[in-house]
């Protein structure tokens, strides 16, 4: 039995050392790359120093602001604040309504976004953009990654054109 | 009449599932064979009924029946027939019906094929299958019903209903919304169904594991019966994932070939646990160990599948793949909880009885290496799980929402995948039970020096200086050579048995031990896939440039010249802007790339189509970013050189081939001592 116990101990030590290594890798990767998820309002109103901090921002794309600058190679557009909380979005009539409202409210908080890369196909008016990147000195957002959720005008709408 | 008919057969299938579940539980309780047999036949009948439903919705799609809300939402008149067909899985309720249909197909095959050899395992398996099939039918019948139609009520309001409400008039829109342009791609034909088959197939191994637990079996029979289902599901899941990569690669904005998008990660998770299972199942068959482990992995795989559909379809994950918000969140959550807690309870209940028959010793053996590779696979799984749930966990614990992205995954999983590749390479050299170091040294004599050649060539001739890339090059050549060594040794033995017969010497080792060589070929496929991944991750070159007509840009030894831009309308309603980049290498013409942008006026949306030219060494890949609209004399491009990326697709083909070989039914019963593909010869 003693031999069996020490045998099992070897498995536990070996496995344990490996798992510790994995956990250490997770901790160091999280320190280096994890992003704070914020809404445009939280970003504008926070007291935290966000310089150099990885951020993830969600907002509604304002279609007419989308502009590509061939000189610098930057894509530039503006997003408007939308709530980050699902329950709040639901209370306000769902994501589509919230996006529509956010884009058309002139008093809404807005954020300028710069993106070094080709415009994704789904970068459309009233799309929900989820951006990863950092703030620059001018308070503009330098996005390294763009994730877009299509304005889902494909869903649930009742038709208008009708044949008798 | 087609819509109500399709709905009625669906409702009938649901009633049969309810009946079947009741009958099989009653049969188990009463120990009554006729009741169980009756449930089995009910399960067989569900498939044809759901097939009728599926045909009905397909006919409605092909026939432009826009009075059906689902048809209206996913197709329009401009779409070709093949896309109207794929629209079957282009929206929530249709894809759910397709999923249910596949599940019913697997259930029917199981009920027809396996009931003789698994009669004692059958009743509880049926119960688990009925629960799941019934649940998905319930979703289709009551919540996500693809057969609902538009109606105009006398008071002017519009409603959705399958059957005509009293006094209502049918509404027939002239045209539909059409499928999201991003989904109008040949990838839409193959990627979703392949992936779905992979996911759904794990239902059978799950049901068998549950049944084995419920009946208190301690033998390996559930593993033997589950084997073809696991392998078939695994290969379809692998193929589905890679087809998704290929689609992403062909369409810009989807993030290269793999973007660590939460839904991608969620789809990878069951693949990881199934891969771990495939390896420890061998250990159980060899020496009766790892019973708890295998049962847990088989259950975990299916729980991860259901969890994945819950996260994706309930609109919880922010992702390109996500469906629109739906009411199926709560029921999906409930079924995930039921099967998780139910299986966990069964596992705990049987835990003490399922000890190892033979204790494994900690020493240099294939067994220990298999365990280690399992540990690595499951660590990768845990990291994926953590990554997906990080936002939720962080918000609960710290009140700030923290998310992780591709950089996080790459930093942690890069070393883990590398370690996995090392284990894959070394494993065939390690014998079962025990390997002496001296023997290992002898085996490495030829392989090790040979494996150093490709990285040295890459360094000297290819100019590759990144140490990690060179190391991974060594790793894949080493793994590949070890596999080749196993094969050539078997060929040598066959040659010695019957000298002079070349064909037989080459083929007979594989034929004699299909499971073993099937497995080795799958590993070879993974080695080849890794070459492609190293190429695109480690050696990719790119540049972005604005060119006037006649100007050119050089990258990676290739010269790209902007020679023309054209704008035209197509018959299917697109407005296409197509550019021409002619390629030369050292003055030698190499054809041209045609990157283009397709504008869909009806949707107000453009789709970027890259220009692509590929061979075994590299892909030349260009995207049209912007252009001067009127004069058309200047345009901006992003040009990529993607070395070796084609090996990713070729490796996948090899992997599929190996899986087919491993799962192909063997004519002769396996020889004594042959318990799996990894047996030492």
């Amino acid at each position: 039995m003693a031999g069996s116990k020490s045998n099992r101990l070897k498995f536990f030590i070996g496995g344990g050392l490996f798992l510790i290594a994995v956990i250490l890798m997770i901790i160091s990767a999280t320190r280096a790359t994890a992003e704070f998820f914020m809404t445009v309002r939280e970003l504008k109103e926070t007291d935290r120093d966000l310089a150099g901090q990885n951020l993830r921002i969600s907002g509604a794309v304002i279609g007419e602001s989308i502009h590509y600058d061939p000189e610098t190679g930057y894509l530039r557009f503006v997003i408007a604040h939308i709530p980050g909380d699902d329950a709040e979005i639901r209370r306000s009539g769902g994501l589509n309504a919230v996006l529509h409202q956010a884009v058309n409210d002139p008093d809404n908080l807005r954020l300028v976004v710069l993106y070094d890369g080709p415009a994704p196909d789904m970068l459309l008016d009233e799309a929900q953009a989820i951006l990863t990147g950092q703030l620059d000195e001018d308070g503009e957002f330098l996005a390294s990654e763009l994730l877009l959720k299509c304005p889902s005008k494909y869903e649930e709408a009742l038709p208008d054109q009708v044949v008798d | 009449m087609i819509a109500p008919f399709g709905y009625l057969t669906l409702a009938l299938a649901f009633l049969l599932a309810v009946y079947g579940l009741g009958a099989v539980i009653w049969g188990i309780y009463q120990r009554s064979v006729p009741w169980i047999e009756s449930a089995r036949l009910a399960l067989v009948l569900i498939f044809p009924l759901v097939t009728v439903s599926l045909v009905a919705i397909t006919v409605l799609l092909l026939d432009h029946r826009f009075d059906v809300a689902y048809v209206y939402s996913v197709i329009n008149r401009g779409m070709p027939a093949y896309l109207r067909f794929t629209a079957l899985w282009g929206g929530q309720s249709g894809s759910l019906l397709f999923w249910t249909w596949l599940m019913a197909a697997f259930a029917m095959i199981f009920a027809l094929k396996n009931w003789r050899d698994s009669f004692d395992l059958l009743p509880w398996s049926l119960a688990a299958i009925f629960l799941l099939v019934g649940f998905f039918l319930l979703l289709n019948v009551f919540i996500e019903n693809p057969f609902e139609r538009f109606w105009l009520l006398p008071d002017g309001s519009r409603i959705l209903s399958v059957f005509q409400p009293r006094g209502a008039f049918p509404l027939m829109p002239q045209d539909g919304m059409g499928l999201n342009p991003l989904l109008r791609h040949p990838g839409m034909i193959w990627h979703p169904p392949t992936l779905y088959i992979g996911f759904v197939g794990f239902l059978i191994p799950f049901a068998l594991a549950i049944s084995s637990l419920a009946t208190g079996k301690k033998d390996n029979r559930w593993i033997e019966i589950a084997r073809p289902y696991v392998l078939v599901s695994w290969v379809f899941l692998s193929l589905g994932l890679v087809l998704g990569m290929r689609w992403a690669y062909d369409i810009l904005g989807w993030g290269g070939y793999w973007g660590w998008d939460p839904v991608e990660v969620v789809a990878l998770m069951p693949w990881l646990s199934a891969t771990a299972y495939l390896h420890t199942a061998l250990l159980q068959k060899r020496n009766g160990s790892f019973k708890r482990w295998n049962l847990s992995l088989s259950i975990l795989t299916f729980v991860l599948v259901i969890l994945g559909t819950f996260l994706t379809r309930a609109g919880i994950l922010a992702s390109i793949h996500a469906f629109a918000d739906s009411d199926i969140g709560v029921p999906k959550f409930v079924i995930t909880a039921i099967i998780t807690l139910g299986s966990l309870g069964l596992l705990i209940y049987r835990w003490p009885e399922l000890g190892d028959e033979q204790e494994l010793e900690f020493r240099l053996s294939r067994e220990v290496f298999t365990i280690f590779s399992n540990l690595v696979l499951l660590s990768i799984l845990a990291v994926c799980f953590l990554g997906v749930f990080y936002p939720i966990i962080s918000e609960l614990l710290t009140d700030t929402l923290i998310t992780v992205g591709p950089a996080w995954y790459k930093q942690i999983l890069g070393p883990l995948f590398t370690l996995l590749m090392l284990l894959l390479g070394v494993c065939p050299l390690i014998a079962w039970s025990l390997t002496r170091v001296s023997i290992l040294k002898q085996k490495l004599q030829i392989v090790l020096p040979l494996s150093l050649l490709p990285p040295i060539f890459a360094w000297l001739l290819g100019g590759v200086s990144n140490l990690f890339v060179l190391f991974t090059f060594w790793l894949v050549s080493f793994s590949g050579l070890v596999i080749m060594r196993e094969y050539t040794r078997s060929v040598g033995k066959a040659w010695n048995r019957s000298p002079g017969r070349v064909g037989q010497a080459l083929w007979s080792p594989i034929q004699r031990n299909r499971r073993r060589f099937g497995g080795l070929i799958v590993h070879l496929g993974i080695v080849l896939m890794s070459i492609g991944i190293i190429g695109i991750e480690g050696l990719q070159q790119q540049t972005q440039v604005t060119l006037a007509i006649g100007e050119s840009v050089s990258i990676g030894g290739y010269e790209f010249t902007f020679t023309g831009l054209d704008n035209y309308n197509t018959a299917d309603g697109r407005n296409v802007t197509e550019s021409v980049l002619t390629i030369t290498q050292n003055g030698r013409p190499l054809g041209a790339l045609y990157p283009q942008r397709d504008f869909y006026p009806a949707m107000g949306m453009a789709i970027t189509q890259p220009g692509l030219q590929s061979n075994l060494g590299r892909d030349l890949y260009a995207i049209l970013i912007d252009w001067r609209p009127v004069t058309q004399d200047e345009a901006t491009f992003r040009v990529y050189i993607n070395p070796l990326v084609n090996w990713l697709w070729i490796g996948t083909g090899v992997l599929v081939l190996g899986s087919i070989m491993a799962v192909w039914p063997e004519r002769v019963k396996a020889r004594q001592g042959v318990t799996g593909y990894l047996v030492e010869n």
Side-chain angles (χ1 to χ4, degrees), chain A residues 14 23 28 33 38 54 63-64 69 72 75 91 94 96 101 103 105 119 121 133 139 150-151 157 161 163:
Chain A
I23 290 167
S28 92
T33 69
M38 299 180 118
N54 294 315
E64 60 203 22
D69 181 0
T72 58
L75 186 70
R91 271 198 304 280
N96 287 339
Q101 168 72 25
V103 168
D105 174 8
D121 296 324
C150 219
Q161 328 119 291
V163 188

mmCIF file of all heavy atoms in Angstrom, chain A residues 14 23 28 33 38 54 63-64 69 72 75 91 94 96 101 103 105 119 121 133 139 150-151 157 161 163:
data_model
loop_
_atom_site.group_PDB
_atom_site.id
_atom_site.type_symbol
_atom_site.label_atom_id
_atom_site.label_comp_id
_atom_site.label_asym_id
_atom_site.label_seq_id
_atom_site.Cartn_x
_atom_site.Cartn_y
_atom_site.Cartn_z
ATOM 1 N N GLY A 14 3.162 15.754 -10.142
ATOM 2 C CA GLY A 14 3.371 16.073 -11.565
ATOM 3 C C GLY A 14 2.234 16.926 -12.119
ATOM 4 O O GLY A 14 2.447 17.983 -12.703
ATOM 5 N N ILE A 23 -1.816 28.102 -14.365
ATOM 6 C CA ILE A 23 -2.450 29.209 -13.635
ATOM 7 C C ILE A 23 -1.570 30.453 -13.685
ATOM 8 O O ILE A 23 -2.056 31.570 -13.893
ATOM 9 C CB ILE A 23 -2.748 28.778 -12.180
ATOM 10 C CG1 ILE A 23 -3.876 27.750 -12.186
ATOM 11 C CG2 ILE A 23 -3.131 29.984 -11.324
ATOM 12 C CD1 ILE A 23 -4.065 27.021 -10.884
ATOM 13 N N SER A 28 -0.522 35.953 -15.750
ATOM 14 C CA SER A 28 0.317 36.940 -16.441
ATOM 15 C C SER A 28 -0.357 37.429 -17.726
ATOM 16 O O SER A 28 -0.297 38.612 -18.057
ATOM 17 C CB SER A 28 1.713 36.369 -16.700
ATOM 18 O OG SER A 28 1.769 35.763 -17.960
ATOM 19 N N THR A 33 -3.125 41.602 -20.898
ATOM 20 C CA THR A 33 -4.035 41.823 -22.034
ATOM 21 C C THR A 33 -5.503 42.019 -21.685
ATOM 22 O O THR A 33 -6.291 42.343 -22.561
ATOM 23 C CB THR A 33 -3.973 40.641 -23.028
ATOM 24 O OG1 THR A 33 -4.555 39.504 -22.409
ATOM 25 C CG2 THR A 33 -2.559 40.324 -23.439
ATOM 26 N N MET A 38 -16.316 49.036 -20.884
ATOM 27 C CA MET A 38 -16.957 50.274 -20.448
ATOM 28 C C MET A 38 -17.937 50.766 -21.493
ATOM 29 O O MET A 38 -17.798 50.495 -22.679
ATOM 30 C CB MET A 38 -15.910 51.367 -20.242
ATOM 31 C CG MET A 38 -14.879 51.044 -19.183
ATOM 32 S SD MET A 38 -13.720 52.401 -19.028
ATOM 33 C CE MET A 38 -14.018 52.868 -17.344
ATOM 34 N N ASN A 54 -5.895 48.658 -21.560
ATOM 35 C CA ASN A 54 -6.713 48.062 -22.616
ATOM 36 C C ASN A 54 -8.183 48.204 -22.285
ATOM 37 O O ASN A 54 -8.600 47.907 -21.173
ATOM 38 C CB ASN A 54 -6.401 46.575 -22.763
ATOM 39 C CG ASN A 54 -5.008 46.348 -23.260
ATOM 40 O OD1 ASN A 54 -4.551 47.007 -24.185
ATOM 41 N ND2 ASN A 54 -4.300 45.421 -22.633
ATOM 42 N N GLY A 63 -23.655 56.382 -38.814
ATOM 43 C CA GLY A 63 -23.296 56.037 -40.185
ATOM 44 C C GLY A 63 -22.618 57.148 -40.952
ATOM 45 O O GLY A 63 -21.603 56.936 -41.626
ATOM 46 N N GLU A 64 -23.158 58.391 -40.831
ATOM 47 C CA GLU A 64 -22.618 59.465 -41.676
ATOM 48 C C GLU A 64 -21.214 59.895 -41.244
ATOM 49 O O GLU A 64 -20.549 60.617 -41.973
ATOM 50 C CB GLU A 64 -23.581 60.652 -41.658
ATOM 51 C CG GLU A 64 -23.807 61.225 -40.281
ATOM 52 C CD GLU A 64 -25.133 61.982 -40.175
ATOM 53 O OE1 GLU A 64 -26.031 61.707 -41.011
ATOM 54 O OE2 GLU A 64 -25.256 62.813 -39.289
ATOM 55 N N ASP A 69 -9.554 57.794 -44.454
ATOM 56 C CA ASP A 69 -8.538 58.769 -44.854
ATOM 57 C C ASP A 69 -7.384 58.050 -45.541
ATOM 58 O O ASP A 69 -6.580 57.392 -44.885
ATOM 59 C CB ASP A 69 -8.025 59.506 -43.607
ATOM 60 C CG ASP A 69 -6.988 60.545 -43.972
ATOM 61 O OD1 ASP A 69 -6.679 60.675 -45.179
ATOM 62 O OD2 ASP A 69 -6.490 61.210 -43.064
ATOM 63 N N THR A 72 -3.577 58.837 -44.128
ATOM 64 C CA THR A 72 -3.049 58.175 -42.939
ATOM 65 C C THR A 72 -3.380 56.683 -42.918
ATOM 66 O O THR A 72 -2.784 55.928 -42.152
ATOM 67 C CB THR A 72 -3.655 58.782 -41.669
ATOM 68 O OG1 THR A 72 -5.080 58.640 -41.745
ATOM 69 C CG2 THR A 72 -3.326 60.257 -41.544
ATOM 70 N N LEU A 75 -9.271 54.597 -40.541
ATOM 71 C CA LEU A 75 -10.708 54.683 -40.666
ATOM 72 C C LEU A 75 -11.172 55.451 -39.437
ATOM 73 O O LEU A 75 -10.723 55.204 -38.325
ATOM 74 C CB LEU A 75 -11.275 53.266 -40.636
ATOM 75 C CG LEU A 75 -12.746 53.093 -40.886
ATOM 76 C CD1 LEU A 75 -13.037 53.400 -42.341
ATOM 77 C CD2 LEU A 75 -13.140 51.653 -40.582
ATOM 78 N N ARG A 91 -35.439 46.925 -21.045
ATOM 79 C CA ARG A 91 -36.457 47.864 -20.556
ATOM 80 C C ARG A 91 -36.712 48.976 -21.563
ATOM 81 O O ARG A 91 -37.814 49.473 -21.701
ATOM 82 C CB ARG A 91 -36.012 48.477 -19.219
ATOM 83 C CG ARG A 91 -36.436 47.661 -18.006
ATOM 84 C CD ARG A 91 -36.379 48.506 -16.743
ATOM 85 N NE ARG A 91 -35.086 49.117 -16.491
ATOM 86 C CZ ARG A 91 -34.048 48.474 -15.945
ATOM 87 N NH1 ARG A 91 -34.179 47.224 -15.601
ATOM 88 N NH2 ARG A 91 -32.912 49.090 -15.750
ATOM 89 N N GLY A 94 -35.458 46.963 -26.301
ATOM 90 C CA GLY A 94 -34.628 46.066 -27.099
ATOM 91 C C GLY A 94 -33.472 46.784 -27.762
ATOM 92 O O GLY A 94 -33.431 48.017 -27.838
ATOM 93 N N ASN A 96 -32.386 47.038 -30.899
ATOM 94 C CA ASN A 96 -32.584 47.866 -32.101
ATOM 95 C C ASN A 96 -33.087 49.251 -31.741
ATOM 96 O O ASN A 96 -32.618 50.260 -32.258
ATOM 97 C CB ASN A 96 -33.577 47.191 -33.044
ATOM 98 C CG ASN A 96 -32.958 45.991 -33.718
ATOM 99 O OD1 ASN A 96 -31.731 45.897 -33.793
ATOM 100 N ND2 ASN A 96 -33.777 45.070 -34.173
ATOM 101 N N GLN A 101 -32.260 55.024 -31.076
ATOM 102 C CA GLN A 101 -32.386 56.158 -30.161
ATOM 103 C C GLN A 101 -31.016 56.811 -29.935
ATOM 104 O O GLN A 101 -30.879 58.041 -29.994
ATOM 105 C CB GLN A 101 -32.982 55.633 -28.844
ATOM 106 C CG GLN A 101 -32.923 56.587 -27.677
ATOM 107 C CD GLN A 101 -33.910 57.719 -27.865
ATOM 108 O OE1 GLN A 101 -34.900 57.563 -28.563
ATOM 109 N NE2 GLN A 101 -33.627 58.877 -27.277
ATOM 110 N N VAL A 103 -28.310 56.854 -31.741
ATOM 111 C CA VAL A 103 -27.732 57.545 -32.892
ATOM 112 C C VAL A 103 -28.449 58.860 -33.158
ATOM 113 O O VAL A 103 -27.840 59.852 -33.563
ATOM 114 C CB VAL A 103 -27.791 56.618 -34.126
ATOM 115 C CG1 VAL A 103 -27.489 57.382 -35.393
ATOM 116 C CG2 VAL A 103 -26.817 55.465 -33.953
ATOM 117 N N ASP A 105 -30.155 60.827 -30.998
ATOM 118 C CA ASP A 105 -30.242 61.782 -29.904
ATOM 119 C C ASP A 105 -29.002 62.681 -29.930
ATOM 120 O O ASP A 105 -27.901 62.238 -29.623
ATOM 121 C CB ASP A 105 -30.323 60.999 -28.581
ATOM 122 C CG ASP A 105 -30.263 61.929 -27.385
ATOM 123 O OD1 ASP A 105 -30.309 63.156 -27.583
ATOM 124 O OD2 ASP A 105 -30.178 61.406 -26.258
ATOM 125 N N ALA A 119 -12.291 48.804 -43.555
ATOM 126 C CA ALA A 119 -13.607 48.891 -42.930
ATOM 127 C C ALA A 119 -14.314 47.550 -43.008
ATOM 128 O O ALA A 119 -14.463 46.999 -44.096
ATOM 129 C CB ALA A 119 -14.448 49.949 -43.635
ATOM 130 N N ASP A 121 -17.292 44.898 -43.281
ATOM 131 C CA ASP A 121 -18.510 45.008 -44.082
ATOM 132 C C ASP A 121 -19.719 45.402 -43.258
ATOM 133 O O ASP A 121 -20.661 45.970 -43.758
ATOM 134 C CB ASP A 121 -18.777 43.673 -44.795
ATOM 135 C CG ASP A 121 -17.665 43.355 -45.779
ATOM 136 O OD1 ASP A 121 -17.143 44.305 -46.392
ATOM 137 O OD2 ASP A 121 -17.310 42.182 -45.923
ATOM 138 N N GLY A 133 -9.180 48.438 -27.671
ATOM 139 C CA GLY A 133 -8.055 49.324 -27.950
ATOM 140 C C GLY A 133 -7.734 50.203 -26.767
ATOM 141 O O GLY A 133 -8.019 49.833 -25.628
ATOM 142 N N GLY A 139 -8.018 61.974 -26.401
ATOM 143 C CA GLY A 139 -9.295 61.432 -25.973
ATOM 144 C C GLY A 139 -10.013 60.696 -27.090
ATOM 145 O O GLY A 139 -11.201 60.402 -26.994
ATOM 146 N N CYS A 150 -24.717 43.341 -36.532
ATOM 147 C CA CYS A 150 -25.522 43.953 -37.560
ATOM 148 C C CYS A 150 -26.789 44.544 -36.957
ATOM 149 O O CYS A 150 -27.379 43.955 -36.072
ATOM 150 C CB CYS A 150 -25.921 42.872 -38.555
ATOM 151 S SG CYS A 150 -25.888 43.437 -40.199
ATOM 152 N N PRO A 151 -27.208 45.715 -37.449
ATOM 153 C CA PRO A 151 -28.529 46.175 -37.049
ATOM 154 C C PRO A 151 -29.516 45.141 -37.581
ATOM 155 O O PRO A 151 -29.632 44.967 -38.787
ATOM 156 C CB PRO A 151 -28.684 47.511 -37.764
ATOM 157 C CG PRO A 151 -27.665 47.518 -38.841
ATOM 158 C CD PRO A 151 -26.572 46.582 -38.433
ATOM 159 N N ALA A 157 -39.554 41.875 -38.221
ATOM 160 C CA ALA A 157 -40.349 43.003 -38.702
ATOM 161 C C ALA A 157 -41.539 42.493 -39.497
ATOM 162 O O ALA A 157 -41.419 41.564 -40.286
ATOM 163 C CB ALA A 157 -39.491 43.896 -39.580
ATOM 164 N N GLN A 161 -45.154 45.736 -47.683
ATOM 165 C CA GLN A 161 -45.696 45.548 -49.025
ATOM 166 C C GLN A 161 -46.605 44.331 -49.008
ATOM 167 O O GLN A 161 -46.234 43.274 -48.550
ATOM 168 C CB GLN A 161 -44.600 45.291 -50.063
ATOM 169 C CG GLN A 161 -43.307 45.973 -49.797
ATOM 170 C CD GLN A 161 -42.197 44.966 -49.636
ATOM 171 O OE1 GLN A 161 -42.152 44.238 -48.674
ATOM 172 N NE2 GLN A 161 -41.296 44.942 -50.606
ATOM 173 N N VAL A 163 -49.623 42.039 -51.191
ATOM 174 C CA VAL A 163 -50.421 41.781 -52.384
ATOM 175 C C VAL A 163 -51.812 41.382 -51.914
ATOM 176 O O VAL A 163 -51.958 40.594 -51.004
ATOM 177 C CB VAL A 163 -49.817 40.622 -53.195
ATOM 178 C CG1 VAL A 163 -50.538 40.497 -54.509
ATOM 179 C CG2 VAL A 163 -48.338 40.836 -53.400
#
